[in-house]
Amino acid sequence: MPDVQPLLEELSNAYGPSGFEGPVRAIVRRELTPLADAIETDGLGSLIARLGPADGHPRVMLTAHMDELGLMVRRITDEGYVKFQPLGGWLDQAIVNQRWMVLTHAGPVLGVTGIKTVHVMTPKAREKLFERDDLFLDVGAHDKRDAEERLGIRPGDAIVPDSRFAPLAGGELYLGKAWDDRVGVAVMIEVMRELRAGAPGPATTFAVATVQEEIGLRGAETSAYAVEPDLGINLESGVAGDYPGITPDEAQERLGHGPGLFLHDSSMLPNLLLRDFVIDVAGDLDIPLQFNVLTGYGQDGAAMQRSRRGAPTVNIVVPTRYLHSHTGVIARSDVEQAIRLVAEIVRRMDEGTLAALRDFS
Ligand code: CO
């Protein structure tokens, strides 16, 4: 298996909030072009790479979403501050006092979400949470006209976290933004590389990098219609529960203990036989597998599962700390194990196996 770090680093650093996935799509296209038999995009912008004959069966669909959480310029105040619309599920407190890039037609513009200084606050005010309607971005403009004309900022411009990739703990762990879901995108690309390099198996595999997941699984809906999958495997960032203040009842995965399999989230239940198939394959390969039963969370597998007449689907994840913030943490070994696991699941998927998974008699 090639070193996963360079691709993870490039994907994490790339700018791609929901609806503005272009730079990420360019990386995915570059990586998958030599590995796939055909590549197309659907009308919403998801990239669909096919490995195997167009009319082949089973049709296995892998999904990973390209978009990350961001903001969008709503308006510029007379004083030159930027007011914004959040894109995706932000905790308001995670937005405050961070660095951001406004993606303008003239290039990226750095800014900071300012925080009112404690020096002027009454003891009571210090206990208050920041509310999103009060938040703003300071781009250093003199006034509105300066922000518009010199810096090139316009309503509708995307705003993305400014947070660079770095290895942690000597390279065992990776720190960066947008692991949700660039780690899934990286796993999907490397699975296609494994399939292309070895025996790809009898299935026709579609690697689909979706758009607009964070605002309602929108890209998965249209791309699943296009692909007509017999079976779906969504690749996501999981929810690690291994840091202070989070309990095992909230999330059960731990970093460095292998890929995760979701058994429940608020958007989807896995197909039970496919769930057991994944467990069996992990056992055969001696890959440790973790489970997660979450109360919240939504993911693209839900759209695949409910496409057309329904498809057996699972969500396989790389455990991730601090999702939906400027900086998350993942473990290299979990990424590598997820790639091995998913490649083997795809390799073993033939017509008979699929028929058994889809049998509800
Ligand atoms: Co996600």
Side-chain angles (χ1 to χ4, degrees):
M1 187 181 298
D3 181 4
V4 291
Q5 183 175 321
L7 182 60
L8 284 168
E9 176 168 357
E10 187 182 15
L11 285 167
S12 174
N13 286 341
Y15 298 145
S18 305
F20 299 83
E21 297 89 352
V24 184
R25 186 164 45 238
I27 297 170
V28 178
R29 187 188 294 275
R30 183 198 70 208
E31 291 295 317
L32 289 182
T33 295
L35 305 175
D37 294 316
I39 288 192
E40 60 173 335
T41 44
D42 74 4
L44 205 55
S46 297
L47 183 140
I48 303 171
R50 169 171 53 82
L51 176 59
D55 56 354
H57 282 278
R59 300 169 75 79
V60 175
M61 179 170 173
L62 309 175
T63 45
H65 67 89
M66 296 185 283
D67 58 315
E68 66 189 294
L69 266 69
L71 314 169
M72 180 188 275
V73 176
R74 186 194 303 281
R75 68 181 185 94
I76 303 166
T77 69
D78 291 343
E79 296 78 22
Y81 293 101
V82 175
K83 299 286 294 196
F84 48 75
Q85 161 71 38
L87 290 174
W90 283 105
L91 190 65
D92 293 352
Q93 309 314 298
I95 298 177
V96 185
N97 199 233
Q98 296 284 355
R99 294 181 189 211
W100 306 79
M101 286 290 183
V102 186
L103 307 179
T104 78
H105 65 284
V109 169
L110 182 65
V112 60
T113 33
I115 183 170
K116 188 173 172 180
T117 181
V118 69
H119 299 95
V120 300
M121 288 184 181
T122 63
K124 197 168 160 63
R126 291 176 196 184
E127 288 169 16
K128 230 185 78 191
L129 295 177
F130 292 92
E131 289 181 35
R132 73 173 53 186
D133 289 346
D134 299 333
L135 303 179
F136 61 91
L137 191 67
D138 180 352
V139 290
H142 303 305
D143 54 27
K144 181 174 186 175
R145 197 172 151 186
D146 189 42
E148 288 172 345
E149 293 181 5
R150 184 168 61 96
L151 302 180
I153 299 173
R154 294 170 176 170
D157 283 349
I159 304 170
V160 65
D162 177 43
S163 171
R164 305 298 290 177
F165 172 95
L168 204 60
E172 266 176 53
L173 306 182
Y174 296 134
L175 177 151
K177 74 171 178 66
W179 293 132
D180 179 6
D181 183 24
R182 304 291 162 69
V183 69
V185 173
V187 168
M188 185 171 74
I189 290 169
E190 294 306 327
V191 165
M192 289 291 272
R193 207 183 311 280
E194 293 269 306
L195 293 173
R196 176 55 96 179
T204 290
T205 306
F206 297 85
V208 181
T210 64
V211 295
Q212 301 187 30
E213 189 270 353
E214 295 290 358
I215 51 174
L217 320 184
R218 297 178 192 179
E221 198 172 312
T222 56
S223 55
Y225 186 89
V227 168
E228 300 185 53
D230 295 317
L231 183 119
I233 302 173
N234 186 51
L235 304 167
E236 258 288 7
S237 49
V239 182
D242 61 351
Y243 51 89
I246 187 164
T247 72
D249 286 319
E250 291 170 313
Q252 297 91 51
E253 300 163 29
R254 292 182 293 161
L255 257 59
H257 288 73
L261 178 61
F262 274 23
L263 303 177
H264 180 281
D265 66 69
S266 60
S267 68
M268 185 184 111
L269 290 171
N271 173 284
L272 299 183
L273 297 174
L274 179 56
R275 173 200 67 186
D276 295 343
F277 183 77
V278 172
I279 294 169
D280 289 346
V281 173
D284 290 349
L285 298 183
D286 278 324
I287 291 175
L289 187 64
Q290 312 188 70
F291 303 106
N292 223 337
V293 177
L294 292 171
T295 306
Y297 199 107
Q299 38 86 19
D300 275 346
M304 261 193 295
Q305 180 180 60
R306 287 184 248 178
S307 65
R308 293 182 182 260
R309 290 163 57 91
T313 298
V314 283
N315 185 37
I316 295 176
V317 304
V318 173
T320 306
R321 292 178 188 154
Y322 325 126
L323 287 166
H324 288 206
S325 70
H326 263 57
T327 309
V329 179
I330 58 171
R332 166 202 285 262
S333 62
D334 295 335
V335 178
E336 291 170 342
Q337 305 273 42
I339 295 164
R340 283 180 62 218
L341 175 63
V342 175
E344 185 62 17
I345 294 166
V346 174
R347 259 191 217 110
R348 290 190 190 182
M349 199 52 60
D350 57 22
E351 293 267 36
T353 307
L354 175 76
L357 295 177
R358 293 181 65 109
D359 184 4
F360 291 92
S361 60

